[in-house]
Amino acid sequence: MPPLKLLYFYSPNCPGCEKAKKLVEEVKRRYGRSVEVVEVNVAEGDNYLLALQHQVCATPAVVIGEDLVFCMEVPSPEEFLKEVERRLKRVGGSR
């Protein structure tokens, strides 16, 4: 079964991105290969186009699968991990 895809959109001067990055790192640590994490710096190259495709208008933002889960706000660790777990169960990839 392919991993659940998580896109983490950030920018270098984003005040909330460091906090969001810690949540993304916890997802990597906790779920390993069950979740494919792709970090996207919207300030590099054409990455802003990928952000626009996923309706990301500000950072930090996370897209899980095809859904924009949060944008400009950083959820609590519990809320974020619960959302990842819910989506893993939906695709059958929960550990």
Side-chain angles (χ1 to χ4, degrees):
M1 175 146 313
L4 180 67
K5 192 164 196 172
L6 184 150
L7 300 173
Y8 165 56
F9 293 91
Y10 69 96
S11 59
N13 298 321
C14 164
C17 287
E18 190 58 39
K19 186 176 175 183
K21 169 90 171 162
K22 289 178 183 175
L23 294 177
V24 170
E25 290 299 324
E26 178 61 19
V27 167
K28 286 182 189 179
R29 186 191 71 71
R30 189 173 290 209
Y31 299 104
R33 294 182 185 174
S34 295
V35 179
E36 176 189 357
V37 174
V38 178
E39 297 183 19
V40 183
N41 180 346
V42 298
E44 289 183 349
D46 289 340
N47 288 346
Y48 72 95
L49 295 173
L50 181 61
L52 291 174
Q53 286 175 346
H54 291 284
Q55 300 175 344
V56 171
C57 59
T59 58
V62 168
V63 172
I64 301 177
E66 294 297 320
D67 300 322
L68 181 61
V69 176
F70 74 82
C71 187
M72 258 179 52
E73 63 176 308
V74 181
S76 71
E78 297 81 17
E79 183 182 2
F80 185 61
L81 293 172
K82 184 177 177 182
E83 183 64 25
V84 171
E85 185 68 28
R86 185 175 72 80
R87 290 168 185 273
L88 276 170
K89 286 179 180 172
R90 190 186 303 168
V91 298
S94 182
R95 346 187 265 170

